[in-house]
Amino acid sequence: MASVFTRIIQGELPARFVWKDQHCVAFLSIHPLRRGHTLVVPREQIDHWLDLPTPLLTHLTIVAQNIGRGLQKAFRPTKVGLMLAGLEVPHVHFHVVPIDSVHDLDFARQDLNPRAEDLDSAAEAIRAALRDLGFIEVVR
């Protein structure tokens, strides 16, 4: 059965994409831990990160790092956190989150009702930062 992320990638469900390439996409979390919380998701539906082929794992990590650079530029956090949890959706995804404290990665603190305009402005800030950094995979 198609995961919610597969349905997003296929265009069946909406998302605020910031990156697309032939192997993965990145879009904002609908339940962000912090402004700019972005998910990097392979196009291929694989449940566990341990099952990722090494080249795809490498690619996802590089994309997550690029997204992290965009988040750093756009939001100026103390650090950018990276987490693989994988319990909530059976489709590998990297959480890339601007953080100022380890508590910023606590899922008990996620925003379950973010304002659409806040998500839209965060997505545009990330896209602009990624463009400024020279990435061509940025979604227009």
Side-chain angles (χ1 to χ4, degrees), residues 42-58:
R43 289 181 179 274
E44 183 180 355
Q45 184 172 317
I46 298 171
D47 181 22
H48 199 303
W49 72 272
L50 294 176
D51 297 327
L52 290 169
T54 300
L56 182 55
L57 174 61
T58 300

Side-chain angles (χ1 to χ4, degrees), residues 85-120:
L87 296 172
E88 60 281 356
V89 177
H91 192 143
V92 172
H93 54 288
F94 289 35
H95 295 265
V96 189
V97 185
I99 61 172
D100 293 313
S101 151
V102 70
H103 302 292
D104 293 335
L105 293 173
D106 180 353
F107 281 94
R109 299 168 54 136
Q110 65 188 328
D111 184 351
L112 298 177
N113 295 300
R115 294 175 353 138
E117 53 270 21
D118 292 340
L119 293 172
D120 291 339

Side-chain angles (χ1 to χ4, degrees), residues 2-122:
S3 75
V4 66
F5 292 158
T6 296
R7 294 181 65 208
I8 288 169
I9 292 165
Q10 293 174 344
E12 295 174 22
L13 297 172
R16 289 167 178 86
F17 288 94
V18 297
W19 180 286
K20 288 185 180 180
D21 67 33
Q22 67 181 13
H23 302 291
C24 70
V25 300
F27 51 86
L28 267 61
S29 172
I30 60 168
H31 297 138
L33 295 171
R34 295 281 309 263
R35 184 171 190 250
H37 178 177
T38 303
L39 305 176
V40 177
V41 183
R43 289 181 179 274
E44 183 180 355
Q45 184 172 317
I46 298 171
D47 181 22
H48 199 303
W49 72 272
L50 294 176
D51 297 327
L52 290 169
T54 300
L56 182 55
L57 174 61
T58 300
H59 182 75
L60 293 171
T61 303
I62 291 167
V63 171
Q65 185 179 48
N66 294 340
I67 297 297
R69 288 184 173 122
L71 296 177
Q72 187 71 47
K73 182 174 180 57
F75 304 114
R76 304 279 184 220
T78 303
K79 298 276 184 166
V80 175
L82 177 66
M83 183 175 17
L84 287 120
L87 296 172
E88 60 281 356
V89 177
H91 192 143
V92 172
H93 54 288
F94 289 35
H95 295 265
V96 189
V97 185
I99 61 172
D100 293 313
S101 151
V102 70
H103 302 292
D104 293 335
L105 293 173
D106 180 353
F107 281 94
R109 299 168 54 136
Q110 65 188 328
D111 184 351
L112 298 177
N113 295 300
R115 294 175 353 138
E117 53 270 21
D118 292 340
L119 293 172
D120 291 339
S121 71

